[in-house]
Amino acid sequence: MREYLNGNEAVAHAVRLARAEVVAAYPITPQSTIVEEIAAQIARGEMEAEYIRVESEHAALAACFGAAVSGSRVFTATSSQGLAYMFEMLHYVSGARIPMVMAVANRGLAAPWTIWADHQDSVSCRDTGWIQLYVETAQEALDTCLQAYKIAEDPRVLTPVMLCLDGYVLSHTEEILDIPSQEDVDRFLPPYRPQVLVDTRRPVVFGVGAGPDIYPSFKKAQQEAMERAKEVIKRVDEEFYAFFGRRYGGLVEEYRCHDAEVVLVTLGAITGTAREVVDSLRREGAKVGVLRLRALRPFPVEDLRESVKSARVVAVLDRNCSFGYEGVVCTEVKAALFGLKQPPSVIGFVAGLGGQDIRKENIEGIFRSCFNSDV
Amino acid sequence: MKIRDLPEDELVVGSFACAGCGGILAVRLALKILGPETVIVTTPSCLLGVTTFYPQLAFKVPCVNVTFPSTAAAVSGVVAGLKRRGKEHITVLGIAGDGGTVDIGLQALSGAIERGDNFIFLCYDNEAYMNTGVQRSGSTPLGAHTTTTPVGEMLKGEDRPKKDMLRIVAAHDIPYAATASIGYPQDYLRKIQKAKETKGPAYIQVLSPCPPGWGYPSDLTVHLARLAVQTGAWTLAEYEQGKLTVKKIDHPKPLREYLSLQARFAHLI
Ligand SMILES: Cc1ncc(C[n+]2csc(CCOP(=O)(O)OP(=O)(O)O)c2C)c(N)n1
Ligand code: SF4
Ligand SMILES: [Mg+2]
């Protein structure tokens, strides 16, 4: 079925199609319309789920945690301040290996107050043990939401997934979407069947305490699961393609990188603009490409290295800043390329904070400055 | 329920609680009434620290530990999750210390009560943050010495009265709420039974003396839990169908009898 929908509506449809059974959420712009739409779907009888109207984002994640350990597929969504408010629970959920999906409609953080897009909110949560997938279109938001449940619930992964979509640019911008049928989704995504859950016949403890002798082994297991998630993310993207005819490159999506001298690394929606700039510069004969990181965690080191093989310069566009250093993705890219025989030079650009438009001219300027740099 | 009719079966086994811990006794007694078809949801506190450290599980029922502010929020999630699986007969028992209830857990508890979820919330009140070294909480009584309300030239222990949590909970128009004391087990167990039978949220706050935190020999736990009531330092109250009833103490003993046994009040005597 084809419909004209925005990114938030796309996510809401995906959550219904995934048959999430418990949704707990707290409103915040620009996320709110996701959970409003889910509430409406439940009210109209199109979706069968418990909707817990919690009093905070911290509680939203705690309620999702409680429902998940009781055997339900769960969902929540937030943005910015709400995500920051969840910080404690983010670590808790990933540490307890709860496979849930949360949409983050990316928005800058106060102060100063803003409701507009950048990636500071989710990037600040890079080390919370969640898989982070950044999407480029509303269609990808829908598709990735379905993929995310399959990735998170894979027994080799059992790690929550943060589905990041740029506020407004994706959350509130309409596209023509292909909405898969319930039958197809049911075949792609079987019901959630956790191996351990709250069961009075088999009492276990969730969120156990651990002494210094055993704590590291829990953390090592988390790290190993993240490493395994790389393969699972790729495989699930391919499976999705087999079912629905769409795929997104797994961990990274390349555009004209094969012979590019300058590759621009991006996250999220800005990639579309970057592609157009690549096309126009290519017409002038400039060998440029764009590499979109779909996954920030796990970080696609191997794929990144492969994609920038021909590059002399790698430019990184960050819609976030690690104050006192540089854009976070830039640091990550540098670290990933460190140790290569002839590594490209890496130049970071921080742009588009708090919803400031990044225009074609800006991206063109980035490419030109990279060609002009004699590094 | 007569004490001798209580089931022999223990659902709390192998905890590391101090000798004379009022809190663990409160939980042990409550589970005798609630039985094995119960799920505990709890939070950082002495209780978590002494019952669920890997590979320990000192409960014979499932236990969901969650973050300090979130007991009641996680309770709502467990209630919803069990409902989805058609297991609504299972009692969901949120347990938190006084800090986890009247301070950092208050918002979540308010939300869950207001949503009308079907659960019991048990606050074992030892009147301070014991797990982290006896710091004051909103439930610390006036005058009590704690590590953050010390006694010196400028401060004589806790300088604010104890938060009246029962009235806060009652203001939500909760179906059932009560205070109890482990020194009056029959009264306490009757209230747990009532909470179990209540449709919707029920709240019980049980006075649970703590030997190291209050500064008294561990054999005095039950004695102090009784004296607190007999001297009027702790009230046994019930809130039901919009009515608050307080057990009247006809001839209260002098407060000094209660205070003088505890190091936390030594500076007042
Ligand atoms: C967000 C957060 N802040 C602080 C702590 C530290 N902490 C753990 S237990 C505790 C005190 C618990 O006091 P109470 O709820 O009264 O239970 P008790 O230990 O007295 O039985 C504190 C402050 C924490 N775990 N989480
Ligand atoms: S410190 Fe107090 S509350 Fe904690 S286990 Fe010991 S007696 Fe119980
Ligand atoms: Mg306490």
Side-chain angles (χ1 to χ4, degrees), chain B residues 1-85:
Chain B
M1 164 86 59
K2 296 225 166 59
I3 297 291
R4 66 164 178 270
D5 296 336
L6 285 178
E8 284 288 324
D9 280 356
E10 294 296 343
L11 295 177
V12 181
V13 193
S15 98
F16 300 133
C18 310
C21 175
I24 202 76
L25 182 58
V27 174
R28 194 184 136 220
L29 288 174
L31 283 176
K32 287 211 177 242
I33 297 288
L34 299 177
E37 290 295 285
T38 302
V39 176
I40 291 175
V41 179
T42 191
T43 189
S45 60
C46 267
L47 183 71
L48 188 156
V50 303
T51 55
T52 52
F53 253 75
Y54 189 88
Q56 173 203 29
L57 172 57
F59 304 118
K60 287 191 187 164
V61 295
C63 179
V64 179
N65 291 335
V66 72
T67 54
F68 200 23
S70 317
T71 314
V75 159
S76 288
V78 172
V79 168
L82 291 177
K83 185 174 171 200
R84 292 295 307 179
R85 282 169 45 224

Side-chain angles (χ1 to χ4, degrees), chain A residues 183-249:
Chain A
E183 298 74 60
D184 286 348
V185 173
D186 286 346
R187 281 192 296 136
F188 171 73
L189 181 67
Y192 179 45
R193 294 263 183 271
Q195 289 168 356
V196 220
L197 76 174
V198 166
D199 181 352
T200 48
R201 283 161 311 172
R202 205 175 142 246
V204 293
V205 55
F206 290 89
V208 73
D213 53 332
I214 191 83
Y215 182 91
S217 60
F218 284 96
K219 294 295 137 182
K220 185 156 173 276
Q222 250 179 286
Q223 167 70 358
E224 286 164 357
M226 270 287 192
E227 282 297 330
R228 289 193 293 269
K230 288 184 187 172
E231 274 319 302
V232 175
I233 292 168
K234 289 186 194 181
R235 203 203 57 218
V236 168
D237 194 39
E238 286 306 318
E239 271 178 47
F240 191 88
Y241 176 70
F243 271 90
F244 304 104
R246 287 185 296 274
R247 63 182 154 191
Y248 301 96

Side-chain angles (χ1 to χ4, degrees), chain B residues 180-224:
Chain B
S181 162
I182 53 115
Y184 290 89
Q186 231 163 324
D187 174 74
Y188 172 49
L189 294 171
R190 179 182 62 80
K191 288 168 175 168
I192 293 282
Q193 182 68 39
K194 265 198 181 172
K196 188 181 180 183
E197 287 158 11
T198 301
K199 288 256 165 300
Y203 174 83
I204 293 179
Q205 183 169 350
V206 57
L207 182 68
S208 308
C210 162
W214 293 10
Y216 67 85
S218 57
D219 59 337
L220 291 186
T221 293
V222 173
H223 182 60
L224 280 171

Side-chain angles (χ1 to χ4, degrees), chain A residues 14 34 46 54-55 64 81 100 127 129 177 199 211 220 244 248 258 264 270 272-273 275 310 336 365:
Chain A
I34 299 178
E46 296 162 8
V54 286
E55 71 294 335
C64 284
Q81 312 297 126
M100 65 170 74
D127 300 336
L177 294 188
D199 181 352
K220 185 156 173 276
F244 304 104
Y248 301 96
H258 60 285
L264 177 67
I270 193 59
T273 312
R275 271 205 203 88
S310 64

Side-chain angles (χ1 to χ4, degrees), chain A residues 20-26 35 50-52 54 56-77 86 89 92-93 98-103 130 149 160 192, chain B residues 64 66 70 72-78 80-81 115:
Chain A
E21 295 179 87
V22 177
V23 175
Y26 190 80
V35 295
E50 298 295 314
Y51 189 115
I52 309 178
V54 286
S56 80
E57 288 88 351
H58 197 286
L61 221 42
C64 284
F65 170 73
V69 299
S70 308
S72 290
R73 183 174 282 159
V74 302
F75 176 79
T76 188
M86 282 178 177
M89 280 304 303
Y92 204 80
V93 165
I98 306 300
M100 65 170 74
V101 176
M102 166 160 68
W130 285 57
Y149 279 106
Y192 179 45
Chain B
V64 179
V66 72
S70 317
V75 159
S76 288
V78 172
R115 283 189 292 273

